[in-house]
Amino acid sequence: MGLLFEQIDSQPSEIGEITLRRRRIPAIGNRDIFEVKLGEEFLMSSMFVDAEVALSDIGLNATPGDNLSVVVGGLGLGYTAVAALKHERVGELLIVEYLEPVIRWHQKELVPLGKDINADARSRYVHGSFFDLAIAEPAEGGFDPESPGKTFDAILLDIDHSPRALLHDSNASFYTVNNIRQMARQIKPQGIFAMWSNEGEDEEFMAVLREVFTDVACHVVTFFNPFQNRESFNTVYVARKPG
């Protein structure tokens, strides 16, 4: 059966100690559950990944064209990235991650999905701040350090818990009309911006999105939570760039 709990790695990062753990809870099934913690705060668990997968599926199903160039903001445990790679229309995937230890976990395949990402030639890790790269002058930088000025068919974001529940206070400025508009310069006409949230629809953020995009919607993704013995939900925002 193996160990019921293992701390795989713990490293300092730019925003605090980040830890990768594996556990088994026999009462809810004999499978490994991987967890990421920042200090004492839980960032992600492989127990609940429905909405992370839905972020890619909903976002990319709304994205027109072929040979899509896609950005995933936030690597986490890799579920959004691997879900994107399952879409045959994706031609390249840039995975932007601020925390270098998280990239190393995947490169060393300490997490299960690292192998899938590393084996797919379409994927590339970018170590950097999504929020800084989002508002950079496109001609001088942007999400792809190898191709300044590049635009993308879809940008899929999963970093903060919600537009209000932030991993760091400095992220708050991103969720404004000005900075969302700055980011949209890196999206092709008719391209898609999609974002995961742990909370229900945020009307204030919806209004921000409507200032910049069209076809703005908030999708509810439900899943069973065995710890609470009831259904839980996350949300996925989707918005289209005019053009």
Side-chain angles (χ1 to χ4, degrees):
M1 180 175 175
L3 296 173
L4 293 180
F5 178 84
E6 177 187 10
Q7 181 165 299
I8 299 172
D9 190 37
S10 187
Q11 298 287 336
S13 77
E14 294 86 342
I15 56 176
E17 191 81 6
I18 189 161
T19 303
L20 175 65
R21 315 191 310 182
R22 181 199 63 80
R23 70 168 68 240
R24 287 193 178 188
I25 305 173
I28 59 173
N30 187 30
R31 66 185 178 94
D32 288 330
I33 300 169
F34 288 82
E35 302 169 338
V36 179
K37 292 186 68 179
L38 181 63
E40 294 304 311
E41 180 181 7
F42 278 93
L43 290 188
M44 188 175 180
S45 168
S46 63
M47 188 76 190
F48 309 110
V49 299
D50 300 69
E52 283 80 359
V53 172
L55 171 59
S56 280
D57 290 345
I58 295 172
L60 294 177
N61 286 340
T63 305
D66 294 301
N67 194 29
L68 302 179
S69 183
V70 180
V71 173
V72 166
L75 175 53
L77 289 171
Y79 286 91
T80 298
V82 168
L85 291 170
K86 290 181 179 178
H87 287 253
E88 294 182 357
R89 292 188 300 128
V90 171
E92 68 167 345
L93 180 71
L94 273 62
I95 309 165
V96 180
E97 174 56 53
Y98 183 54
L99 302 176
E100 190 172 10
V102 176
I103 295 177
R104 290 201 301 269
W105 294 340
H106 287 76
Q107 290 173 327
K108 295 178 179 179
E109 299 180 3
L110 299 179
V111 292
L113 297 186
K115 183 176 181 179
D116 296 310
I117 295 172
N118 298 337
D120 198 312
R122 295 174 296 168
S123 67
R124 175 156 44 103
Y125 302 107
V126 177
H127 178 217
S129 165
F130 174 92
F131 301 111
D132 290 345
L133 298 178
I135 62 172
E137 288 297 322
E140 300 173 8
F143 289 118
D144 190 347
E146 297 180 5
S147 302
K150 186 174 183 176
T151 55
F152 301 90
D153 296 285
I155 296 176
L156 313 174
L157 175 60
D158 178 5
I159 295 180
D160 289 318
H161 297 304
S162 78
R164 311 294 157 219
L166 310 174
L167 292 186
H168 195 276
D169 291 344
S170 63
N171 297 351
S173 62
F174 173 74
Y175 302 98
T176 62
V177 171
N178 182 61
N179 282 352
I180 293 288
R181 183 173 283 124
Q182 292 281 94
M183 177 201 64
R185 295 181 301 173
Q186 296 189 60
I187 302 176
K188 296 177 183 178
Q190 292 295 305
I192 290 293
F193 171 63
M195 190 186 86
W196 173 92
S197 174
N198 189 48
E199 299 179 356
E201 181 175 327
D202 185 312
E203 283 298 333
E204 184 177 337
F205 184 58
M206 290 284 283
V208 168
L209 292 176
R210 290 187 183 105
E211 286 287 322
V212 180
F213 298 103
T214 61
D215 302 333
V216 176
C218 183
H219 301 261
V220 175
V221 180
T222 59
F223 53 90
F224 181 70
N225 186 333
F227 299 121
Q228 300 176 343
N229 195 32
R230 63 178 176 84
E231 198 171 70
S232 296
F233 74 93
N234 295 154
T235 50
V236 174
Y237 294 91
V238 179
R240 186 181 307 280
K241 183 174 178 178

